[in-house]
Amino acid sequence: MKIVVTGGLGFIGSHTVVELQNEGFEVVAIDNLSNSSESVLEGIFNITGKKPIFEKLDLREKSVVQEFFKKHNDVLGVIHFAASKAVGESVENPLLYYENNINALVYVLQELTKLNKANFIFSSSCTVYGQAEKMPITENAPVQSAMSPYGNTKQIGEEIIIDTSKVTNLNSILLRYFNPIGSHPTAEIGELPLGVPQNLVPFITQTAMGLREKLSVFGDDYPTSDGTAVRDYIHVVDLAKAHVVALKRLLDNKNIEKVETFNLGTGTGSSVLEVINAFENVSGEKLNYQIVGRREGDITEAFANTDKANNVLGWKAQSTLEEALASAWKWEQKVRTK
């Protein structure tokens, strides 16, 4: 049961590799190491007792993707994470995002659909909803005009998959994540962004460790309980397990439609200040933070209605915000004391 995980050494990818190996799958991890490190393989081995097959490839090179699928023509499915994912960076460098996130997807689908089985799990995002009109957000909420090039690449990616499935053997599940945080409870793998973190929690943990002077809170004038933006923070291990459940759904031919969509979140929204307070409580550290202006591309609030994932997919998030933050802090401390 050979499964390809693109972006397999990244934050969510590496945790998904762990869960797949724990379930007995043979995993081939593809990564170009643009935002990850080969040392992640050691962490995966320490948790599971097995290293995945690793291929250092750049999926933006069509001939490289073709060669990969000739070599691994017995693949039963692909879980596709490989993409750039920072809203702010995408606003500043849109062409990088369109090249990374669209070209790689097209090249992988072109080769996958040549195989006997074409099962595909797509790493999508709640950004496709833009600023949804109703909370919590269901899968039937309209896909709004994208508020960033990153969000647009996820919308376009979903459209490419839907169009491809109509005329090929492709069966897909689109997983729209909310905000993944935390690390594996062993602290063997976790979120380790290269350079300045683009996401809240690694910036929090790096600030607590003294690597960052202070944390910027982008805006306190949103129409929320405390004026800061609200998101649905989901433990990365819960998220990884959802990919295994989704993959098995396709492998067992239990999907009702050729393309299915599920929101992955906890169903609870937390404001930036609530996350900061929760982190301070679990870590015992006082954070140095400063309120600054809003960031372009950010929305007011987004949290999931998880009924469909719970009832149809048969998956539910288990961990609390505090547990996720505690695991992120444990990971940060381990990384910095090596």
Side-chain angles (χ1 to χ4, degrees):
M1 296 192 294
K2 187 187 280 187
I3 305 299
V4 173
V5 180
T6 72
L9 301 194
F11 175 41
I12 308 170
S14 61
H15 286 82
T16 302
V17 170
V18 163
E19 296 305 324
L20 286 167
Q21 291 193 167
N22 283 343
E23 291 290 318
F25 289 96
E26 181 185 6
V27 180
V28 185
I30 296 175
D31 209 297
N32 67 358
L33 305 180
S34 62
N35 195 32
S36 59
S37 163
E38 208 166 330
S39 64
V40 173
L41 289 167
E42 187 183 334
I44 293 170
F45 175 79
N46 289 342
I47 298 167
T48 65
K50 185 180 178 185
K51 280 187 182 178
I53 300 165
F54 174 57
E55 300 267 9
K56 186 186 174 188
L57 302 178
D58 193 329
L59 295 173
R60 293 173 296 184
E61 296 178 33
K62 185 172 183 173
S63 60
V64 167
V65 180
Q66 290 171 328
E67 284 303 312
F68 173 85
F69 277 94
K70 279 180 193 163
K71 181 177 172 184
H72 297 283
N73 60 6
D74 54 345
V75 163
L76 290 181
V78 172
I79 302 180
H80 185 60
F81 295 106
S84 302
K85 62 181 176 61
V87 169
E89 183 186 47
S90 78
V91 173
E92 294 164 12
N93 196 347
L95 289 177
L96 170 72
Y97 272 67
Y98 288 114
E99 181 190 32
N100 252 3
N101 297 9
I102 302 302
N103 290 13
L105 172 65
V106 169
Y107 298 155
V108 168
L109 289 178
Q110 282 175 335
E111 300 312 309
L112 178 64
T113 52
K114 293 175 185 174
L115 304 182
N116 290 333
K117 296 278 185 185
N119 296 309
F120 192 73
I121 309 292
F122 182 58
S123 165
S124 193
S125 167
C126 64
T127 55
V128 302
Y129 299 117
Q131 181 53 71
E133 289 164 16
K134 287 184 184 172
M135 293 295 143
I137 301 169
T138 71
E139 289 82 356
N140 295 326
V143 171
Q144 307 268 18
S145 179
M147 296 185 71
S148 69
Y150 165 71
N152 202 26
T153 64
K154 292 303 181 183
Q155 291 183 8
I156 294 167
E158 289 193 0
E159 290 167 7
I160 289 169
I161 292 163
I162 291 165
D163 288 342
T164 304
S165 71
K166 290 174 183 171
V167 292
T168 68
N169 61 345
L170 186 68
N171 283 279
S172 300
I173 293 180
L174 314 176
L175 297 177
R176 292 174 176 167
Y177 317 157
F178 281 67
N179 292 67
I181 61 169
S183 80
H184 198 270
T186 60
E188 289 289 347
I189 56 173
E191 187 168 13
L192 190 61
L194 303 182
V196 180
Q198 300 284 342
N199 297 326
L200 176 62
V201 171
F203 216 112
I204 284 176
T205 58
Q206 288 190 16
T207 303
M209 283 298 288
L211 295 172
R212 307 284 161 198
E213 185 189 349
K214 60 176 171 252
L215 170 73
S216 294
V217 176
F218 297 104
D220 66 347
D221 57 350
Y222 286 103
T224 60
S225 60
D226 59 24
T228 61
V230 168
R231 299 288 182 271
D232 186 338
Y233 295 94
I234 174 174
H235 197 302
V236 66
V237 174
D238 283 334
L239 188 66
K241 287 178 177 175
H243 290 76
V244 181
V245 174
L247 177 68
K248 286 181 174 178
R249 183 175 172 84
L250 294 182
L251 293 174
D252 295 340
N253 300 311
K254 289 183 176 172
N255 50 312
I256 298 159
E257 299 168 273
K258 287 199 77 179
V259 182
E260 296 182 322
T261 305
F262 297 96
N263 285 340
L264 297 183
T266 65
T268 302
S270 302
S271 74
V272 175
L273 288 182
E274 285 172 339
V275 174
I276 289 171
N277 291 334
F279 176 80
E280 290 181 338
N281 288 337
V282 298
S283 69
E285 300 289 328
K286 197 76 183 152
L287 277 176
N288 181 24
Y289 67 89
Q290 177 184 19
I291 308 291
V292 297
R294 292 188 188 188
R295 183 171 55 181
E296 188 178 353
D298 279 349
I299 58 174
T300 301
E301 65 177 343
F303 57 97
N305 179 314
T306 60
D307 290 351
K308 188 179 177 189
N310 299 163
N311 301 325
V312 179
L313 189 59
W315 166 89
K316 194 175 196 313
Q318 302 296 327
S319 298
T320 64
L321 175 65
E322 287 76 14
E323 287 167 340
L325 291 169
S327 71
W329 180 230
K330 182 181 176 184
W331 161 251
E332 186 72 55
Q333 289 175 298
K334 181 182 176 183
V335 168
R336 303 307 165 191
T337 51
K338 273 186 179 177

